[in-house]
């Protein structure tokens, strides 16, 4: 699996131990993150409490391991805004262990050597985006989650590749615009472009090398 894993609005960097939500870093202690990392390496599969104990505490370390596992799981759920009774991410299998149940996308780490790094600026926030597809909308699982009744739950899709960035309207009620022009189908984006979804404005920032902008679908 790649070092960076996305699920809902979250991004986990398994190499650095960082967890982000909509590009904003979330403070998470080592043990809860280790639990998350173990679950993400086996999405959809049962991860036993025994395996978690072995990952969290090496032989010879004396702790109340059962209490420790429960504490780590609870801290992780709080960080994800998850609930044991109606889980979106971590399902409890009674007396057996846990299972990660949300869709997971593994993506390559983006670096300056890759020639492509993007982010969206929105109301003072910087939302970092890796290569791949990102939903912009009111849905809390969107990569770029915005809070406005003028924005559809799945308003637009932003596709980032090493060759460039393309924005697509997803049949939103109030439309999508780039630099004041309506998006019909899809349009290419350049550094500094203003994206309007409903009544909200976002700024797209990127750095590419050797790419050429070829816009399509603007009216």
């Amino acid at each position: 699996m790649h070092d960076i894993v996305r699920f809902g609005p979250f991004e986990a960097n398994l190499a650095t131990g960082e967890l982000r939500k909509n590009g904003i870093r979330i403070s998470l202690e080592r043990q809860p993150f280790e639990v998350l990392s173990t679950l993400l390496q086996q999405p959809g599969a049962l991860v036993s409490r025994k395996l978690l104990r072995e990952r969290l505490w090496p032989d010879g370390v004396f702790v109340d391991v059962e209490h420790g596992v429960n504490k780590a799981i609870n801290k992780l759920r709080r960080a994800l805004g998850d609930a044991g009774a109606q889980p979106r991410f971590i399902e409890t299998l009674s007396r057996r262990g846990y299972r990660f149940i949300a869709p997971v996308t593994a993506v390559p780490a983006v670096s300056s050597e890759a020639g492509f790094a993007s982010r969206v600026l929105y109301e003072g926030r910087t939302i970092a985006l890796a290569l791949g597809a990102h939903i912009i909308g009111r849905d809390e699982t969107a990569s770029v989650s915005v809070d406005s009744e003028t924005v559809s739950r799945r308003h637009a899709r932003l596709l980032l590749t090493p060759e460039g960035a393309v924005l697509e309207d997803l049949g939103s009620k109030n439309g999508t615009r780039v630099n004041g022009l309506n998006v019909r189908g899809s349009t290419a984006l350049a550094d500094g472009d203003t994206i309007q979804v409903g009544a909200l404005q976002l700024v797209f920032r990127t750095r590419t090398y050797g790419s050429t902008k070829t816009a399509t679908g603007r009216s």
Side-chain angles (χ1 to χ4, degrees):
M1 174 172 284
H2 292 290
D3 287 340
I4 296 179
V5 182
R6 289 182 178 273
F7 54 96
F10 296 96
E11 177 182 284
N13 189 318
L14 306 186
T16 64
E18 294 176 294
L19 177 66
R20 296 179 183 274
K21 181 179 181 181
N22 293 323
I24 301 174
R25 185 172 179 179
I26 297 174
S27 178
L28 189 62
E29 297 174 9
R30 183 194 66 81
Q31 289 184 341
F33 190 90
E34 184 65 31
V35 171
L36 176 62
S37 176
T38 304
L39 291 169
L40 288 175
Q41 291 175 47
Q42 305 178 59
L46 168 67
V47 174
S48 68
R49 291 177 64 88
K50 179 177 182 295
L51 176 59
L52 291 178
R53 291 196 299 269
E54 293 172 352
R55 289 289 184 89
L56 297 179
W57 296 281
D59 292 340
V61 175
F62 179 77
V63 295
D64 182 348
V65 293
E66 292 302 318
H67 175 72
V69 170
N70 292 339
K71 186 175 180 180
I73 286 288
N74 289 337
K75 287 184 176 181
L76 176 57
R77 280 185 166 139
R78 283 198 295 271
L80 299 179
D82 206 16
Q86 295 182 315
R88 293 181 300 141
F89 301 111
I90 302 171
E91 178 184 32
T92 300
L93 302 176
S94 182
R95 300 177 181 271
R96 299 169 63 195
Y98 305 91
R99 179 165 56 198
F100 199 87
I101 58 175
V104 168
T105 302
V107 297
V110 178
S111 66
S112 58
E113 289 76 16
F116 194 95
S118 300
R119 60 196 188 276
V120 167
L121 310 182
Y122 163 61
E123 292 189 344
R125 291 191 292 152
T126 299
I127 302 174
L129 300 174
L131 300 181
H134 304 278
I135 298 298
I136 301 173
R138 193 158 40 88
D139 195 313
E140 63 180 10
T141 64
S143 299
V144 183
S145 181
V146 296
D147 185 16
S148 172
E149 292 298 322
T150 66
V151 177
S152 300
R153 290 191 177 277
R154 292 172 62 86
H155 196 104
R157 176 166 45 229
L158 179 58
L159 178 62
L160 303 177
T161 71
E163 289 72 38
V166 174
L167 183 69
E168 176 188 4
D169 183 77
L170 296 179
S172 63
K173 181 179 179 180
N174 292 320
T176 302
R177 296 174 179 82
V178 174
N179 299 330
L181 301 176
N182 290 327
V183 173
R184 306 290 187 186
S186 62
T187 187
L189 292 176
D191 181 52
D193 279 350
T194 298
I195 302 171
Q196 183 171 343
V197 288
L200 299 184
Q201 285 196 340
L202 305 86
V203 177
F204 177 73
R205 300 307 306 266
T206 190
R207 180 174 57 193
T208 59
Y209 303 103
S211 65
T212 302
K213 180 183 177 184
T214 55
T216 60
R218 292 187 183 178
S219 63

